[in-house]
Amino acid sequence: MNKGLWISFEGIDGAGKSTHIEGLASAFKSQGRTVTLTREPGGTPLAESLRAMLLNESMDPLSESLIAFAARRDHLNQVILPSLAQGDTVLCDRFTDATFAYQGGGRGVPWETLKTLELMVQGSGDSGQSSQIREPDLTIWFDLDPAVAASRLADARAPDRFESQPLEFFTRVQAGYARRRDENPSRFLTIDASQTKHQVWQQLTRGLVSKGWLSIVTPSTC
Ligand code: TYD
Protein backbone atom coordinates (compact mmCIF):
# COMPACT_ATOMS: atom_id res chain seq x y z
CA MET A 1 0.00 0.00 0.00
CA ASN A 2 1.01 3.62 -0.51
CA LYS A 3 2.49 5.39 2.49
CA GLY A 4 1.95 8.81 1.01
CA LEU A 5 -1.10 10.75 -0.04
CA TRP A 6 -2.04 11.27 -3.69
CA ILE A 7 -4.38 14.03 -4.82
CA SER A 8 -5.23 14.93 -8.41
CA PHE A 9 -6.82 18.16 -9.64
CA GLU A 10 -9.22 18.24 -12.56
CA GLY A 11 -11.47 20.58 -14.47
CA ILE A 12 -12.01 22.12 -17.87
CA ASP A 13 -9.57 24.77 -19.09
CA GLY A 14 -10.34 28.05 -17.33
CA ALA A 15 -11.78 26.41 -14.18
CA GLY A 16 -8.98 27.98 -12.09
CA LYS A 17 -7.25 24.98 -10.54
CA SER A 18 -3.61 26.05 -11.05
CA THR A 19 -3.36 28.85 -8.45
CA HIS A 20 -5.02 26.69 -5.83
CA ILE A 21 -2.65 23.76 -6.40
CA GLU A 22 0.28 26.05 -5.52
CA GLY A 23 -1.58 27.28 -2.43
CA LEU A 24 -2.30 23.74 -1.26
CA ALA A 25 1.32 22.72 -1.82
CA SER A 26 2.36 25.55 0.54
CA ALA A 27 -0.32 24.58 3.08
CA PHE A 28 0.80 20.94 3.14
CA LYS A 29 4.48 21.94 3.40
CA SER A 30 3.74 24.30 6.28
CA GLN A 31 2.22 21.33 8.09
CA GLY A 32 5.42 19.33 7.74
CA ARG A 33 4.62 17.22 4.71
CA THR A 34 7.04 16.66 1.84
CA VAL A 35 5.19 17.63 -1.32
CA THR A 36 5.77 16.40 -4.86
CA LEU A 37 4.04 18.84 -7.18
CA THR A 38 3.64 17.43 -10.66
CA ARG A 39 1.39 17.49 -13.72
CA GLU A 40 -0.03 15.50 -16.63
CA PRO A 41 0.74 15.11 -19.34
CA GLY A 42 4.26 15.56 -18.06
CA GLY A 43 6.28 15.17 -14.88
CA THR A 44 9.27 13.39 -16.48
CA PRO A 45 11.49 14.39 -19.44
CA LEU A 46 9.85 11.77 -21.68
CA ALA A 47 6.33 12.69 -20.59
CA GLU A 48 7.03 16.41 -21.09
CA SER A 49 8.09 15.63 -24.69
CA LEU A 50 4.86 13.71 -25.18
CA ARG A 51 2.95 16.66 -23.67
CA ALA A 52 4.40 18.98 -26.31
CA MET A 53 3.21 16.60 -29.03
CA LEU A 54 -0.26 16.23 -27.55
CA LEU A 55 -0.76 19.96 -27.16
CA ASN A 56 0.71 21.03 -30.49
CA GLU A 57 0.52 18.29 -33.14
CA SER A 58 -2.62 17.34 -34.94
CA MET A 59 -3.57 13.67 -34.52
CA ASP A 60 -6.60 11.43 -34.23
CA PRO A 61 -8.38 10.94 -30.89
CA LEU A 62 -7.09 7.41 -30.27
CA SER A 63 -3.51 8.63 -30.81
CA GLU A 64 -4.17 11.40 -28.28
CA SER A 65 -5.29 8.75 -25.79
CA LEU A 66 -2.28 6.52 -26.44
CA ILE A 67 0.11 9.45 -25.99
CA ALA A 68 -1.60 10.51 -22.76
CA PHE A 69 -1.34 6.97 -21.37
CA ALA A 70 2.27 6.49 -22.56
CA ALA A 71 3.23 9.68 -20.75
CA ARG A 72 1.26 8.51 -17.69
CA ARG A 73 3.06 5.16 -17.54
CA ASP A 74 6.45 6.88 -17.39
CA HIS A 75 5.23 9.48 -14.88
CA LEU A 76 3.67 6.85 -12.63
CA ASN A 77 6.74 4.63 -12.59
CA GLN A 78 9.40 7.33 -12.39
CA VAL A 79 7.77 9.90 -10.10
CA ILE A 80 4.39 9.13 -8.55
CA LEU A 81 4.91 5.61 -7.16
CA PRO A 82 8.44 6.28 -5.80
CA SER A 83 7.23 9.52 -4.16
CA LEU A 84 4.28 7.75 -2.54
CA ALA A 85 6.54 4.92 -1.37
CA GLN A 86 8.68 7.41 0.54
CA GLY A 87 5.60 8.98 2.12
CA ASP A 88 5.31 12.18 0.08
CA THR A 89 2.12 14.08 -0.59
CA VAL A 90 1.77 13.97 -4.38
CA LEU A 91 -0.26 16.80 -5.89
CA CYS A 92 -0.92 16.04 -9.54
CA ASP A 93 -2.35 18.66 -11.89
CA ARG A 94 -4.61 16.33 -13.96
CA PHE A 95 -4.48 12.53 -14.19
CA THR A 96 -6.51 9.81 -15.91
CA ASP A 97 -9.89 11.49 -15.44
CA ALA A 98 -8.64 14.11 -17.92
CA THR A 99 -8.22 11.43 -20.59
CA PHE A 100 -11.75 10.15 -19.98
CA ALA A 101 -13.08 13.73 -20.06
CA TYR A 102 -11.09 15.15 -23.01
CA GLN A 103 -10.50 12.12 -25.22
CA GLY A 104 -13.62 10.17 -24.09
CA GLY A 105 -16.16 12.94 -23.59
CA GLY A 106 -14.62 15.60 -25.81
CA ARG A 107 -13.31 13.52 -28.72
CA GLY A 108 -15.61 10.49 -28.53
CA VAL A 109 -13.07 7.72 -27.82
CA PRO A 110 -15.15 4.82 -26.40
CA TRP A 111 -15.17 4.66 -22.60
CA GLU A 112 -14.35 0.93 -22.73
CA THR A 113 -11.22 1.58 -24.81
CA LEU A 114 -10.02 4.03 -22.19
CA LYS A 115 -10.87 1.59 -19.39
CA THR A 116 -8.71 -1.02 -21.11
CA LEU A 117 -5.80 1.41 -21.39
CA GLU A 118 -6.29 2.45 -17.76
CA LEU A 119 -6.02 -1.16 -16.62
CA MET A 120 -2.95 -1.81 -18.80
CA VAL A 121 -1.14 1.30 -17.60
CA GLN A 122 -2.28 1.56 -13.99
CA GLY A 123 -2.95 -2.09 -13.14
CA SER A 124 -0.84 -3.23 -10.23
CA GLY A 125 0.23 -6.61 -11.68
CA ASP A 126 3.53 -7.01 -13.56
CA SER A 127 1.77 -7.28 -16.89
CA GLY A 128 -0.66 -4.57 -15.96
CA GLN A 129 -3.52 -7.06 -15.94
CA SER A 130 -4.31 -7.07 -12.22
CA SER A 131 -7.72 -5.71 -11.34
CA GLN A 132 -6.32 -3.23 -8.80
CA ILE A 133 -5.98 0.15 -10.50
CA ARG A 134 -3.49 2.63 -9.09
CA GLU A 135 -5.27 5.95 -8.87
CA PRO A 136 -5.35 9.05 -6.63
CA ASP A 137 -6.68 8.83 -3.07
CA LEU A 138 -8.70 11.95 -3.85
CA THR A 139 -9.60 13.85 -7.00
CA ILE A 140 -10.57 17.48 -6.59
CA TRP A 141 -12.85 18.48 -9.47
CA PHE A 142 -13.21 22.19 -10.20
CA ASP A 143 -16.74 22.12 -11.53
CA LEU A 144 -17.54 25.15 -13.70
CA ASP A 145 -20.06 26.01 -16.42
CA PRO A 146 -18.12 25.83 -19.72
CA ALA A 147 -19.47 29.24 -20.81
CA VAL A 148 -18.04 30.86 -17.66
CA ALA A 149 -14.72 29.05 -18.15
CA ALA A 150 -14.56 30.28 -21.76
CA SER A 151 -15.05 33.88 -20.68
CA ARG A 152 -12.27 33.50 -18.10
CA LEU A 153 -9.96 32.06 -20.77
CA ALA A 154 -10.66 34.84 -23.24
CA ASP A 155 -7.87 37.03 -21.86
CA ALA A 156 -5.39 34.20 -21.37
CA ARG A 157 -2.21 33.52 -23.34
CA ALA A 158 -2.22 31.98 -26.83
CA PRO A 159 -4.47 28.90 -26.63
CA ASP A 160 -3.19 25.35 -27.27
CA ARG A 161 -5.05 22.69 -29.32
CA PHE A 162 -7.52 22.04 -26.51
CA GLU A 163 -8.03 25.57 -25.22
CA SER A 164 -8.98 26.69 -28.73
CA GLN A 165 -11.86 24.19 -29.00
CA PRO A 166 -15.45 25.51 -29.20
CA LEU A 167 -17.86 25.65 -26.29
CA GLU A 168 -19.61 22.41 -27.36
CA PHE A 169 -16.34 20.54 -26.92
CA PHE A 170 -16.02 21.74 -23.32
CA THR A 171 -19.65 20.88 -22.65
CA ARG A 172 -18.82 17.28 -23.64
CA VAL A 173 -15.60 17.34 -21.57
CA GLN A 174 -17.60 18.58 -18.59
CA ALA A 175 -20.06 15.70 -19.07
CA GLY A 176 -17.10 13.31 -19.19
CA TYR A 177 -15.88 14.57 -15.82
CA ALA A 178 -19.39 14.25 -14.36
CA ARG A 179 -19.59 10.65 -15.59
CA ARG A 180 -16.25 9.78 -13.98
CA ARG A 181 -17.36 11.39 -10.71
CA ASP A 182 -20.67 9.53 -10.79
CA GLU A 183 -18.83 6.24 -11.40
CA ASN A 184 -16.60 6.78 -8.39
CA PRO A 185 -18.17 9.38 -6.07
CA SER A 186 -16.12 8.49 -3.00
CA ARG A 187 -12.85 9.42 -4.75
CA PHE A 188 -14.13 12.85 -5.79
CA LEU A 189 -14.40 16.17 -3.98
CA THR A 190 -16.49 18.47 -6.18
CA ILE A 191 -15.72 22.17 -5.85
CA ASP A 192 -18.09 24.88 -7.06
CA ALA A 193 -15.54 26.82 -9.11
CA SER A 194 -18.00 29.59 -10.01
CA GLN A 195 -17.37 31.18 -6.60
CA THR A 196 -14.68 33.75 -5.79
CA LYS A 197 -11.07 32.58 -5.38
CA HIS A 198 -11.36 33.04 -1.64
CA GLN A 199 -14.55 30.95 -1.42
CA VAL A 200 -13.04 28.24 -3.61
CA TRP A 201 -10.02 28.14 -1.28
CA GLN A 202 -12.38 27.77 1.70
CA GLN A 203 -14.18 24.86 0.04
CA LEU A 204 -10.87 23.13 -0.72
CA THR A 205 -9.36 23.47 2.72
CA ARG A 206 -12.59 22.52 4.49
CA GLY A 207 -12.77 19.36 2.38
CA LEU A 208 -9.19 18.43 3.27
CA VAL A 209 -9.64 19.23 6.96
CA SER A 210 -12.74 17.04 7.10
CA LYS A 211 -10.64 14.15 5.75
CA GLY A 212 -8.01 14.80 8.41
CA TRP A 213 -5.34 15.65 5.82
CA LEU A 214 -4.93 19.30 6.83
CA SER A 215 -5.09 20.08 10.53
CA ILE A 216 -6.49 23.60 10.30
CA VAL A 217 -8.10 25.75 7.63
CA THR A 218 -5.05 27.76 6.64
CA PRO A 219 -5.60 31.38 5.57
CA SER A 220 -6.30 31.98 1.91
CA THR A 221 -3.23 32.60 -0.21
CA CYS A 222 -5.38 34.21 -2.90
P1 TYD B 1 -3.39 22.18 -18.58
O1 TYD B 1 -3.26 21.08 -17.60
O2 TYD B 1 -4.64 22.97 -18.51
O3 TYD B 1 -2.09 23.03 -18.47
P2 TYD B 1 -1.93 24.58 -18.74
O4 TYD B 1 -2.46 25.21 -17.50
O5 TYD B 1 -0.45 24.71 -18.93
O6 TYD B 1 -2.72 24.89 -19.97
O7 TYD B 1 -3.25 21.70 -20.10
C1 TYD B 1 -3.18 20.41 -20.49
C2 TYD B 1 -4.16 20.17 -21.62
O8 TYD B 1 -4.09 18.81 -21.99
C3 TYD B 1 -5.60 20.45 -21.22
O9 TYD B 1 -6.26 21.18 -22.24
C4 TYD B 1 -6.22 19.07 -21.15
C5 TYD B 1 -5.38 18.24 -22.06
N1 TYD B 1 -5.30 16.83 -21.66
C6 TYD B 1 -5.88 15.87 -22.45
O10 TYD B 1 -6.49 16.19 -23.48
N2 TYD B 1 -5.79 14.57 -22.08
C7 TYD B 1 -5.15 14.17 -20.95
O11 TYD B 1 -5.09 12.96 -20.66
C8 TYD B 1 -4.55 15.18 -20.13
C9 TYD B 1 -3.84 14.78 -18.87
C10 TYD B 1 -4.65 16.50 -20.52
Side-chain angles (χ1 to χ4, degrees):
M1 281 308 281
N2 295 332
K3 283 187 346 192
L5 179 62
W6 180 9
I7 304 174
S8 65
F9 298 82
E10 298 284 358
I12 55 175
D13 295 273
K17 60 186 166 51
S18 300
T19 44
H20 291 295
I21 299 174
E22 298 279 345
L24 282 181
S26 303
F28 278 119
K29 281 182 196 159
S30 73
Q31 300 196 1
R33 290 181 185 260
T34 302
V35 172
T36 297
L37 184 54
T38 189
R39 69 173 182 180
E40 290 220 342
T44 68
L46 173 63
E48 290 290 334
S49 305
L50 294 170
R51 176 190 179 91
M53 281 184 206
L54 182 69
L55 266 51
N56 300 309
E57 312 282 342
S58 175
M59 65 187 80
D60 77 5
L62 180 58
S63 301
E64 285 184 4
S65 311
L66 294 169
I67 286 187
F69 272 109
R72 183 159 302 132
R73 178 101 182 145
D74 197 52
H75 186 210
L76 193 62
N77 288 337
Q78 304 296 330
V79 175
I80 297 177
L81 295 178
S83 299
L84 291 172
Q86 65 188 28
D88 290 5
T89 297
V90 175
L91 303 182
C92 192
D93 188 348
R94 301 192 185 282
F95 196 66
T96 301
D97 299 308
T99 317
F100 280 87
Y102 281 78
Q103 280 63 51
R107 302 287 204 215
V109 174
W111 215 248
E112 282 313 310
T113 302
L114 298 176
K115 288 248 181 211
T116 301
L117 292 173
E118 181 184 39
L119 185 60
M120 287 174 71
V121 168
Q122 294 162 239
S124 54
D126 282 345
S127 59
Q129 293 305 310
S130 152
S131 58
Q132 167 137 22
I133 290 183
R134 288 172 293 206
E135 62 183 4
D137 299 298
L138 179 73
T139 296
I140 298 180
W141 177 34
F142 288 72
D143 182 14
L144 185 64
D145 180 338
V148 177
S151 69
R152 287 186 185 172
L153 270 184
D155 300 331
R157 66 204 187 308
D160 62 36
R161 282 178 69 231
F162 295 101
E163 289 162 345
S164 56
Q165 291 295 311
L167 188 57
E168 306 80 69
F169 175 81
F170 287 105
T171 303
R172 295 196 301 274
V173 172
Q174 180 77 351
Y177 274 127
R179 179 170 174 187
R180 279 292 271 184
R181 191 264 315 271
D182 294 346
E183 285 178 356
N184 199 345
S186 61
R187 177 166 59 84
F188 274 78
L189 172 64
T190 303
I191 297 292
D192 175 0
S194 70
Q195 296 193 334
T196 65
K197 271 190 184 172
H198 176 74
Q199 288 167 324
V200 168
W201 176 255
Q202 299 287 339
Q203 291 181 59
L204 280 172
T205 49
R206 273 193 210 114
L208 292 169
V209 168
S210 75
K211 288 191 165 289
W213 294 344
L214 280 178
S215 56
I216 47 157
V217 178
T218 43
S220 170
T221 54
C222 303

